[in-house]
Amino acid sequence: MRSVVLLGAPGSGKGTLATILKNSWNVPHISTGDMFREAVRANSPMGLKAFEYMKAGLLVPDDITIGVVDERFSKSDVKKGFILDGFPRTIKQAEALDEILTKNNIKLNSVILLDIDEKLIIKRITGRRTCPKCGAIYHIENVPPRKQNICDKCSSDLIQRKDDTEEVVKERLNAYNKQTSPLVDFYRNKKILVRIDASKTPDKMIEQVEALSL
Ligand code: ADP
Ligand code: ZN
């Protein structure tokens, strides 16, 4: 069973990697960012609350985030494995994840650290475009769609995430460095941390993951 956490700065390629891996591993892709964006679109009270933080580049409070993940793990599809993308992001969330997994009798196999130089991140994120319908991720230069601004997979118009502006990205990086990077040591101590070079293309990232034989 493959049960992994993808850990990495915003723009390191967690979402892109997860989208490819979930198909080849046939396990659910659990992205707290995607779940929050869905809640925002649905205008739910939780979505409105989360959006206050997301638009400023700040982390959504732990109690809300942990609640969302706890609920997601009550579904039985996670028994066959999972890819957690963007969770945990704080030590408190990592401890809560341990509890959620123990309670559901599931083991976390590996935490994949997507290692990337901060200088590359701003360029990657400001050029990112996503499909609001199917979640496909593009980059205007690195991974352009076949037809400008149209999703290859479902023909929807692509959008730029509201938090993908340079100003907000700087805040997100700040949150990563302060609140999330301590998780590297947290999982290194548990001896389940593996590292890939995330400055490479999506294909090369997949090759590195396959070479790990998880
Ligand atoms: P990225 O990794 O590129 O920043 P995500 O889609 O994972 O993008 O997250 C977008 C935003 O959603 C974050 O900036 C944050 O506000 C919120 N968010 C997502 N996951 C979490 C989490 N685990 N804890 C707190 N906030 C989160
Ligand atoms: Zn699409």
Side-chain angles (χ1 to χ4, degrees), residues 8-11 14 31-34 36-37 53-54 57-60 65 85-89 93 125 128 161 163 172:
K14 300 184 296 291
S31 158
T32 41
D34 285 349
F36 287 140
R37 279 184 290 276
Y53 297 90
M54 294 166 79
L58 304 173
L59 294 187
V60 176
T65 310
D85 157 12
F87 183 94
R89 256 169 152 106
Q93 291 179 15
I125 295 194
R128 170 157 73 184
R161 269 170 50 178
D163 60 349
R172 285 159 63 198

PDB file of all heavy atoms in Angstrom, residues 8-11 14 31-34 36-37 53-54 57-60 65 85-89 93 125 128 161 163 172, ligand 1:
ATOM      1  N   GLY A   8       6.475  20.231   0.645  1.00  0.00           N
ATOM      2  CA  GLY A   8       7.308  21.124  -0.158  1.00  0.00           C
ATOM      3  C   GLY A   8       6.717  22.516  -0.184  1.00  0.00           C
ATOM      4  O   GLY A   8       5.524  22.705   0.072  1.00  0.00           O
ATOM      5  N   ALA A   9       7.543  23.482  -0.521  1.00  0.00           N
ATOM      6  CA  ALA A   9       7.118  24.877  -0.575  1.00  0.00           C
ATOM      7  C   ALA A   9       6.010  25.052  -1.615  1.00  0.00           C
ATOM      8  O   ALA A   9       5.859  24.211  -2.505  1.00  0.00           O
ATOM      9  CB  ALA A   9       8.316  25.752  -0.928  1.00  0.00           C
ATOM     10  N   PRO A  10       5.242  26.148  -1.518  1.00  0.00           N
ATOM     11  CA  PRO A  10       4.289  26.440  -2.581  1.00  0.00           C
ATOM     12  C   PRO A  10       5.047  26.507  -3.903  1.00  0.00           C
ATOM     13  O   PRO A  10       6.159  27.023  -3.945  1.00  0.00           O
ATOM     14  CB  PRO A  10       3.717  27.813  -2.197  1.00  0.00           C
ATOM     15  CG  PRO A  10       4.597  28.353  -1.133  1.00  0.00           C
ATOM     16  CD  PRO A  10       5.244  27.178  -0.477  1.00  0.00           C
ATOM     17  N   GLY A  11       4.462  25.950  -4.952  1.00  0.00           N
ATOM     18  CA  GLY A  11       5.125  26.003  -6.255  1.00  0.00           C
ATOM     19  C   GLY A  11       6.181  24.940  -6.467  1.00  0.00           C
ATOM     20  O   GLY A  11       6.843  24.904  -7.500  1.00  0.00           O
ATOM     21  N   LYS A  14       3.797  19.948  -5.893  1.00  0.00           N
ATOM     22  CA  LYS A  14       3.066  18.891  -5.177  1.00  0.00           C
ATOM     23  C   LYS A  14       1.808  18.462  -5.943  1.00  0.00           C
ATOM     24  O   LYS A  14       1.552  17.276  -6.113  1.00  0.00           O
ATOM     25  CB  LYS A  14       2.644  19.382  -3.773  1.00  0.00           C
ATOM     26  CG  LYS A  14       3.794  19.780  -2.870  1.00  0.00           C
ATOM     27  CD  LYS A  14       3.301  20.155  -1.472  1.00  0.00           C
ATOM     28  CE  LYS A  14       2.412  21.386  -1.426  1.00  0.00           C
ATOM     29  NZ  LYS A  14       3.104  22.667  -1.732  1.00  0.00           N
ATOM     30  N   SER A  31      -5.966  16.790  -1.307  1.00  0.00           N
ATOM     31  CA  SER A  31      -5.316  18.095  -1.276  1.00  0.00           C
ATOM     32  C   SER A  31      -6.165  19.043  -0.436  1.00  0.00           C
ATOM     33  O   SER A  31      -7.303  19.348  -0.796  1.00  0.00           O
ATOM     34  CB  SER A  31      -5.177  18.639  -2.708  1.00  0.00           C
ATOM     35  OG  SER A  31      -5.044  20.047  -2.691  1.00  0.00           O
ATOM     36  N   THR A  32      -5.624  19.502   0.668  1.00  0.00           N
ATOM     37  CA  THR A  32      -6.399  20.434   1.499  1.00  0.00           C
ATOM     38  C   THR A  32      -6.636  21.744   0.741  1.00  0.00           C
ATOM     39  O   THR A  32      -7.703  22.335   0.852  1.00  0.00           O
ATOM     40  CB  THR A  32      -5.702  20.702   2.848  1.00  0.00           C
ATOM     41  OG1 THR A  32      -4.298  20.842   2.633  1.00  0.00           O
ATOM     42  CG2 THR A  32      -5.957  19.583   3.824  1.00  0.00           C
ATOM     43  N   GLY A  33      -5.661  22.169  -0.074  1.00  0.00           N
ATOM     44  CA  GLY A  33      -5.841  23.386  -0.871  1.00  0.00           C
ATOM     45  C   GLY A  33      -7.043  23.232  -1.815  1.00  0.00           C
ATOM     46  O   GLY A  33      -7.890  24.124  -1.910  1.00  0.00           O
ATOM     47  N   ASP A  34      -7.117  22.084  -2.512  1.00  0.00           N
ATOM     48  CA  ASP A  34      -8.252  21.841  -3.418  1.00  0.00           C
ATOM     49  C   ASP A  34      -9.567  21.787  -2.636  1.00  0.00           C
ATOM     50  O   ASP A  34     -10.582  22.320  -3.079  1.00  0.00           O
ATOM     51  CB  ASP A  34      -8.083  20.510  -4.175  1.00  0.00           C
ATOM     52  CG  ASP A  34      -7.050  20.607  -5.288  1.00  0.00           C
ATOM     53  OD1 ASP A  34      -6.615  21.734  -5.606  1.00  0.00           O
ATOM     54  OD2 ASP A  34      -6.673  19.546  -5.841  1.00  0.00           O
ATOM     55  N   PHE A  36     -10.270  23.288   0.164  1.00  0.00           N
ATOM     56  CA  PHE A  36     -10.633  24.653   0.555  1.00  0.00           C
ATOM     57  C   PHE A  36     -11.166  25.443  -0.646  1.00  0.00           C
ATOM     58  O   PHE A  36     -12.149  26.163  -0.527  1.00  0.00           O
ATOM     59  CB  PHE A  36      -9.441  25.392   1.177  1.00  0.00           C
ATOM     60  CG  PHE A  36      -9.085  24.932   2.568  1.00  0.00           C
ATOM     61  CD1 PHE A  36      -7.763  24.799   2.970  1.00  0.00           C
ATOM     62  CD2 PHE A  36     -10.086  24.645   3.486  1.00  0.00           C
ATOM     63  CE1 PHE A  36      -7.441  24.382   4.259  1.00  0.00           C
ATOM     64  CE2 PHE A  36      -9.776  24.226   4.780  1.00  0.00           C
ATOM     65  CZ  PHE A  36      -8.445  24.092   5.157  1.00  0.00           C
ATOM     66  N   ARG A  37     -10.509  25.289  -1.797  1.00  0.00           N
ATOM     67  CA  ARG A  37     -10.985  26.045  -2.983  1.00  0.00           C
ATOM     68  C   ARG A  37     -12.393  25.603  -3.378  1.00  0.00           C
ATOM     69  O   ARG A  37     -13.213  26.412  -3.791  1.00  0.00           O
ATOM     70  CB  ARG A  37      -9.996  25.899  -4.152  1.00  0.00           C
ATOM     71  CG  ARG A  37      -8.794  26.849  -4.027  1.00  0.00           C
ATOM     72  CD  ARG A  37      -7.870  26.783  -5.224  1.00  0.00           C
ATOM     73  NE  ARG A  37      -7.143  25.532  -5.274  1.00  0.00           N
ATOM     74  CZ  ARG A  37      -6.017  25.284  -4.606  1.00  0.00           C
ATOM     75  NH1 ARG A  37      -5.479  26.219  -3.861  1.00  0.00           N
ATOM     76  NH2 ARG A  37      -5.420  24.119  -4.698  1.00  0.00           N
ATOM     77  N   TYR A  53      -8.014  33.667   5.016  1.00  0.00           N
ATOM     78  CA  TYR A  53      -6.594  33.366   5.212  1.00  0.00           C
ATOM     79  C   TYR A  53      -5.897  33.146   3.878  1.00  0.00           C
ATOM     80  O   TYR A  53      -4.800  33.638   3.641  1.00  0.00           O
ATOM     81  CB  TYR A  53      -6.444  32.136   6.114  1.00  0.00           C
ATOM     82  CG  TYR A  53      -6.995  32.381   7.499  1.00  0.00           C
ATOM     83  CD1 TYR A  53      -8.329  32.110   7.797  1.00  0.00           C
ATOM     84  CD2 TYR A  53      -6.190  32.926   8.495  1.00  0.00           C
ATOM     85  CE1 TYR A  53      -8.846  32.366   9.058  1.00  0.00           C
ATOM     86  CE2 TYR A  53      -6.698  33.179   9.760  1.00  0.00           C
ATOM     87  CZ  TYR A  53      -8.030  32.904  10.027  1.00  0.00           C
ATOM     88  OH  TYR A  53      -8.530  33.162  11.278  1.00  0.00           O
ATOM     89  N   MET A  54      -6.540  32.372   2.992  1.00  0.00           N
ATOM     90  CA  MET A  54      -5.905  32.019   1.719  1.00  0.00           C
ATOM     91  C   MET A  54      -5.569  33.253   0.893  1.00  0.00           C
ATOM     92  O   MET A  54      -4.490  33.333   0.308  1.00  0.00           O
ATOM     93  CB  MET A  54      -6.845  31.107   0.914  1.00  0.00           C
ATOM     94  CG  MET A  54      -7.057  29.776   1.584  1.00  0.00           C
ATOM     95  SD  MET A  54      -8.438  28.882   0.865  1.00  0.00           S
ATOM     96  CE  MET A  54      -7.671  28.238  -0.611  1.00  0.00           C
ATOM     97  N   GLY A  57      -2.410  34.715   1.904  1.00  0.00           N
ATOM     98  CA  GLY A  57      -1.220  33.862   1.873  1.00  0.00           C
ATOM     99  C   GLY A  57      -0.904  33.225   3.211  1.00  0.00           C
ATOM    100  O   GLY A  57       0.194  32.709   3.430  1.00  0.00           O
ATOM    101  N   LEU A  58      -1.884  33.261   4.130  1.00  0.00           N
ATOM    102  CA  LEU A  58      -1.665  32.694   5.467  1.00  0.00           C
ATOM    103  C   LEU A  58      -2.262  31.298   5.556  1.00  0.00           C
ATOM    104  O   LEU A  58      -3.148  30.945   4.778  1.00  0.00           O
ATOM    105  CB  LEU A  58      -2.338  33.588   6.525  1.00  0.00           C
ATOM    106  CG  LEU A  58      -1.907  35.052   6.528  1.00  0.00           C
ATOM    107  CD1 LEU A  58      -2.756  35.858   7.503  1.00  0.00           C
ATOM    108  CD2 LEU A  58      -0.425  35.158   6.880  1.00  0.00           C
ATOM    109  N   LEU A  59      -1.801  30.532   6.532  1.00  0.00           N
ATOM    110  CA  LEU A  59      -2.379  29.205   6.726  1.00  0.00           C
ATOM    111  C   LEU A  59      -3.758  29.322   7.362  1.00  0.00           C
ATOM    112  O   LEU A  59      -3.980  30.146   8.250  1.00  0.00           O
ATOM    113  CB  LEU A  59      -1.478  28.351   7.631  1.00  0.00           C
ATOM    114  CG  LEU A  59      -0.106  27.973   7.079  1.00  0.00           C
ATOM    115  CD1 LEU A  59       0.581  26.991   8.034  1.00  0.00           C
ATOM    116  CD2 LEU A  59      -0.194  27.391   5.683  1.00  0.00           C
ATOM    117  N   VAL A  60      -4.656  28.481   6.907  1.00  0.00           N
ATOM    118  CA  VAL A  60      -5.969  28.364   7.529  1.00  0.00           C
ATOM    119  C   VAL A  60      -5.734  27.768   8.930  1.00  0.00           C
ATOM    120  O   VAL A  60      -4.860  26.918   9.095  1.00  0.00           O
ATOM    121  CB  VAL A  60      -6.867  27.451   6.659  1.00  0.00           C
ATOM    122  CG1 VAL A  60      -8.213  27.203   7.309  1.00  0.00           C
ATOM    123  CG2 VAL A  60      -7.033  28.052   5.254  1.00  0.00           C
ATOM    124  N   THR A  65      -8.550  23.041   9.537  1.00  0.00           N
ATOM    125  CA  THR A  65      -7.847  22.166   8.592  1.00  0.00           C
ATOM    126  C   THR A  65      -7.855  20.713   9.074  1.00  0.00           C
ATOM    127  O   THR A  65      -8.116  19.790   8.295  1.00  0.00           O
ATOM    128  CB  THR A  65      -6.393  22.671   8.419  1.00  0.00           C
ATOM    129  OG1 THR A  65      -6.433  24.072   8.134  1.00  0.00           O
ATOM    130  CG2 THR A  65      -5.702  21.944   7.303  1.00  0.00           C
ATOM    131  N   ASP A  85      -1.509  15.915  -0.123  1.00  0.00           N
ATOM    132  CA  ASP A  85      -0.825  17.020  -0.798  1.00  0.00           C
ATOM    133  C   ASP A  85      -1.168  18.317  -0.066  1.00  0.00           C
ATOM    134  O   ASP A  85      -2.305  18.749  -0.064  1.00  0.00           O
ATOM    135  CB  ASP A  85      -1.295  16.993  -2.263  1.00  0.00           C
ATOM    136  CG  ASP A  85      -1.157  18.317  -2.994  1.00  0.00           C
ATOM    137  OD1 ASP A  85      -0.494  19.239  -2.485  1.00  0.00           O
ATOM    138  OD2 ASP A  85      -1.721  18.423  -4.097  1.00  0.00           O
ATOM    139  N   GLY A  86      -0.173  18.889   0.597  1.00  0.00           N
ATOM    140  CA  GLY A  86      -0.420  20.159   1.291  1.00  0.00           C
ATOM    141  C   GLY A  86      -0.919  19.995   2.721  1.00  0.00           C
ATOM    142  O   GLY A  86      -1.332  20.957   3.350  1.00  0.00           O
ATOM    143  N   PHE A  87      -0.886  18.806   3.228  1.00  0.00           N
ATOM    144  CA  PHE A  87      -1.204  18.525   4.631  1.00  0.00           C
ATOM    145  C   PHE A  87      -0.299  17.378   5.070  1.00  0.00           C
ATOM    146  O   PHE A  87      -0.169  16.412   4.335  1.00  0.00           O
ATOM    147  CB  PHE A  87      -2.673  18.112   4.795  1.00  0.00           C
ATOM    148  CG  PHE A  87      -3.058  17.875   6.246  1.00  0.00           C
ATOM    149  CD1 PHE A  87      -3.616  18.897   7.004  1.00  0.00           C
ATOM    150  CD2 PHE A  87      -2.838  16.641   6.849  1.00  0.00           C
ATOM    151  CE1 PHE A  87      -3.959  18.688   8.335  1.00  0.00           C
ATOM    152  CE2 PHE A  87      -3.166  16.431   8.178  1.00  0.00           C
ATOM    153  CZ  PHE A  87      -3.734  17.451   8.920  1.00  0.00           C
ATOM    154  N   PRO A  88       0.306  17.441   6.252  1.00  0.00           N
ATOM    155  CA  PRO A  88       0.277  18.530   7.225  1.00  0.00           C
ATOM    156  C   PRO A  88       1.202  19.689   6.841  1.00  0.00           C
ATOM    157  O   PRO A  88       2.125  19.532   6.053  1.00  0.00           O
ATOM    158  CB  PRO A  88       0.781  17.844   8.494  1.00  0.00           C
ATOM    159  CG  PRO A  88       1.684  16.752   8.015  1.00  0.00           C
ATOM    160  CD  PRO A  88       1.099  16.283   6.724  1.00  0.00           C
ATOM    161  N   ARG A  89       0.933  20.827   7.445  1.00  0.00           N
ATOM    162  CA  ARG A  89       1.713  22.038   7.202  1.00  0.00           C
ATOM    163  C   ARG A  89       2.192  22.685   8.489  1.00  0.00           C
ATOM    164  O   ARG A  89       2.848  23.739   8.436  1.00  0.00           O
ATOM    165  CB  ARG A  89       0.850  23.052   6.458  1.00  0.00           C
ATOM    166  CG  ARG A  89       1.157  23.183   4.989  1.00  0.00           C
ATOM    167  CD  ARG A  89       0.033  24.004   4.402  1.00  0.00           C
ATOM    168  NE  ARG A  89       0.424  24.758   3.259  1.00  0.00           N
ATOM    169  CZ  ARG A  89       0.067  24.435   2.001  1.00  0.00           C
ATOM    170  NH1 ARG A  89      -0.621  23.351   1.756  1.00  0.00           N
ATOM    171  NH2 ARG A  89       0.412  25.213   1.008  1.00  0.00           N
ATOM    172  N   GLN A  93      -0.573  19.939  13.043  1.00  0.00           N
ATOM    173  CA  GLN A  93      -1.277  19.119  12.050  1.00  0.00           C
ATOM    174  C   GLN A  93      -0.617  17.751  11.901  1.00  0.00           C
ATOM    175  O   GLN A  93      -1.301  16.732  11.726  1.00  0.00           O
ATOM    176  CB  GLN A  93      -1.298  19.818  10.691  1.00  0.00           C
ATOM    177  CG  GLN A  93      -2.165  21.072  10.648  1.00  0.00           C
ATOM    178  CD  GLN A  93      -2.147  21.766   9.291  1.00  0.00           C
ATOM    179  OE1 GLN A  93      -1.721  21.209   8.282  1.00  0.00           O
ATOM    180  NE2 GLN A  93      -2.602  23.012   9.260  1.00  0.00           N
ATOM    181  N   ILE A 125       5.180  30.031  -9.924  1.00  0.00           N
ATOM    182  CA  ILE A 125       3.818  30.265  -9.457  1.00  0.00           C
ATOM    183  C   ILE A 125       3.113  31.356 -10.247  1.00  0.00           C
ATOM    184  O   ILE A 125       1.939  31.232 -10.562  1.00  0.00           O
ATOM    185  CB  ILE A 125       3.799  30.614  -7.948  1.00  0.00           C
ATOM    186  CG1 ILE A 125       4.292  29.413  -7.158  1.00  0.00           C
ATOM    187  CG2 ILE A 125       2.412  31.022  -7.503  1.00  0.00           C
ATOM    188  CD1 ILE A 125       4.008  29.493  -5.684  1.00  0.00           C
ATOM    189  N   ARG A 128       1.721  30.023 -13.398  1.00  0.00           N
ATOM    190  CA  ARG A 128       0.831  28.856 -13.283  1.00  0.00           C
ATOM    191  C   ARG A 128      -0.592  29.200 -13.702  1.00  0.00           C
ATOM    192  O   ARG A 128      -1.113  30.263 -13.390  1.00  0.00           O
ATOM    193  CB  ARG A 128       0.849  28.387 -11.823  1.00  0.00           C
ATOM    194  CG  ARG A 128      -0.195  27.338 -11.510  1.00  0.00           C
ATOM    195  CD  ARG A 128       0.181  26.515 -10.322  1.00  0.00           C
ATOM    196  NE  ARG A 128       0.062  27.225  -9.069  1.00  0.00           N
ATOM    197  CZ  ARG A 128       0.428  26.708  -7.896  1.00  0.00           C
ATOM    198  NH1 ARG A 128       0.965  25.507  -7.842  1.00  0.00           N
ATOM    199  NH2 ARG A 128       0.296  27.411  -6.795  1.00  0.00           N
ATOM    200  N   ARG A 161      -4.973  31.254 -10.146  1.00  0.00           N
ATOM    201  CA  ARG A 161      -5.440  31.276  -8.754  1.00  0.00           C
ATOM    202  C   ARG A 161      -5.276  32.667  -8.161  1.00  0.00           C
ATOM    203  O   ARG A 161      -4.278  33.328  -8.406  1.00  0.00           O
ATOM    204  CB  ARG A 161      -4.644  30.263  -7.928  1.00  0.00           C
ATOM    205  CG  ARG A 161      -5.289  28.901  -7.875  1.00  0.00           C
ATOM    206  CD  ARG A 161      -4.369  27.864  -7.273  1.00  0.00           C
ATOM    207  NE  ARG A 161      -3.762  28.262  -6.008  1.00  0.00           N
ATOM    208  CZ  ARG A 161      -2.953  27.483  -5.304  1.00  0.00           C
ATOM    209  NH1 ARG A 161      -2.653  26.275  -5.735  1.00  0.00           N
ATOM    210  NH2 ARG A 161      -2.436  27.900  -4.170  1.00  0.00           N
ATOM    211  N   ASP A 163      -4.456  33.538  -5.317  1.00  0.00           N
ATOM    212  CA  ASP A 163      -3.301  33.689  -4.419  1.00  0.00           C
ATOM    213  C   ASP A 163      -1.977  33.456  -5.149  1.00  0.00           C
ATOM    214  O   ASP A 163      -0.946  33.314  -4.528  1.00  0.00           O
ATOM    215  CB  ASP A 163      -3.439  32.767  -3.196  1.00  0.00           C
ATOM    216  CG  ASP A 163      -3.533  31.289  -3.554  1.00  0.00           C
ATOM    217  OD1 ASP A 163      -3.711  30.975  -4.755  1.00  0.00           O
ATOM    218  OD2 ASP A 163      -3.428  30.453  -2.642  1.00  0.00           O
ATOM    219  N   ARG A 172       3.100  33.346   1.356  1.00  0.00           N
ATOM    220  CA  ARG A 172       2.992  31.884   1.419  1.00  0.00           C
ATOM    221  C   ARG A 172       4.359  31.258   1.690  1.00  0.00           C
ATOM    222  O   ARG A 172       4.478  30.290   2.434  1.00  0.00           O
ATOM    223  CB  ARG A 172       2.383  31.345   0.126  1.00  0.00           C
ATOM    224  CG  ARG A 172       0.871  31.605   0.041  1.00  0.00           C
ATOM    225  CD  ARG A 172       0.340  31.564  -1.362  1.00  0.00           C
ATOM    226  NE  ARG A 172       0.483  30.262  -1.998  1.00  0.00           N
ATOM    227  CZ  ARG A 172       0.413  30.067  -3.312  1.00  0.00           C
ATOM    228  NH1 ARG A 172       0.200  31.090  -4.122  1.00  0.00           N
ATOM    229  NH2 ARG A 172       0.558  28.863  -3.803  1.00  0.00           N
TER     230      ARG A 172
HETATM  231  P1  ADP B   1       0.456  25.779  -2.400  1.00  0.00           P
HETATM  232  O1  ADP B   1       1.121  24.576  -1.817  1.00  0.00           O
HETATM  233  O2  ADP B   1       0.851  26.038  -3.800  1.00  0.00           O
HETATM  234  O3  ADP B   1       0.578  27.003  -1.522  1.00  0.00           O
HETATM  235  P2  ADP B   1      -2.256  24.796  -1.762  1.00  0.00           P
HETATM  236  O4  ADP B   1      -3.311  24.631  -2.779  1.00  0.00           O
HETATM  237  O5  ADP B   1      -1.719  23.576  -1.103  1.00  0.00           O
HETATM  238  O6  ADP B   1      -1.107  25.586  -2.526  1.00  0.00           O
HETATM  239  O7  ADP B   1      -2.759  25.797  -0.613  1.00  0.00           O
HETATM  240  C1  ADP B   1      -3.378  27.018  -0.900  1.00  0.00           C
HETATM  241  C2  ADP B   1      -3.776  27.718   0.395  1.00  0.00           C
HETATM  242  O8  ADP B   1      -4.744  26.919   1.100  1.00  0.00           O
HETATM  243  C3  ADP B   1      -2.648  27.916   1.396  1.00  0.00           C
HETATM  244  O9  ADP B   1      -1.926  29.104   1.128  1.00  0.00           O
HETATM  245  C4  ADP B   1      -3.427  28.003   2.712  1.00  0.00           C
HETATM  246  O10 ADP B   1      -4.041  29.244   2.906  1.00  0.00           O
HETATM  247  C5  ADP B   1      -4.534  26.969   2.509  1.00  0.00           C
HETATM  248  N1  ADP B   1      -4.110  25.630   2.986  1.00  0.00           N
HETATM  249  C6  ADP B   1      -3.955  24.510   2.215  1.00  0.00           C
HETATM  250  N2  ADP B   1      -3.548  23.468   2.969  1.00  0.00           N
HETATM  251  C7  ADP B   1      -3.441  23.937   4.252  1.00  0.00           C
HETATM  252  C8  ADP B   1      -3.044  23.365   5.496  1.00  0.00           C
HETATM  253  N3  ADP B   1      -2.662  22.071   5.594  1.00  0.00           N
HETATM  254  N4  ADP B   1      -3.053  24.159   6.592  1.00  0.00           N
HETATM  255  C9  ADP B   1      -3.425  25.442   6.522  1.00  0.00           C
HETATM  256  N5  ADP B   1      -3.781  26.050   5.384  1.00  0.00           N
HETATM  257  C10 ADP B   1      -3.797  25.318   4.255  1.00  0.00           C
END
